[in-house]
Amino acid sequence: QVQLVESGGGLVQPGGSLRLSCVASGSIFSIYAMGWYRQAPGNQRELVAAITSGGTTNYADSVKGRFTISRDNAKNTVYLQMNSLKPEDTAVYYCNADGIRRAVGVTSIYEWDYWGQGTQVTVSS
């Protein structure tokens, strides 16, 4: 089984910064795409940013120029650097991994759409 564990959330004042991390574990050979989603109370979960193993990135318009996604393929880890945070960035942030190739006995399989447990980010004065 694959597990995703997020860290780095917390309370920050408007204009401040936070860095989220997500580590994937579980006999993993490779992961095609990793990303961050968020869900605020009463809202649907939305894409924040995503990155492929080749480094192609995609950002929500609301975070462009403020957030930066990066990954360390050797460590199966994805990061989200969040700068100039606004109160509207307050949400639970979830890590997602897609296209995971992992070992099963003497062979390997591909799995899709794994999620972390979420980490709370609160932007408030």
Side-chain angles (χ1 to χ4, degrees), residues 27-91:
S27 301
I28 295 170
F29 291 128
S30 62
I31 303 174
Y32 172 67
M34 300 187 78
W36 292 95
Y37 289 72
R38 67 186 180 188
Q39 187 168 19
N43 290 355
Q44 290 187 336
R45 191 173 297 188
E46 62 176 2
L47 173 70
V48 176
I51 184 169
T52 67
S53 55
T56 300
T57 58
N58 182 35
Y59 293 93
D61 288 343
S62 59
V63 307
K64 284 180 181 177
R66 299 188 298 122
F67 292 9
T68 302
I69 190 170
S70 60
R71 64 187 283 180
D72 184 332
N73 291 330
K75 296 181 179 179
N76 294 323
T77 301
V78 64
Y79 307 97
L80 185 68
Q81 178 66 43
M82 304 185 293
N83 298 329
S84 303
L85 282 160
K86 304 175 181 180
E88 51 263 43
D89 294 317
T90 295

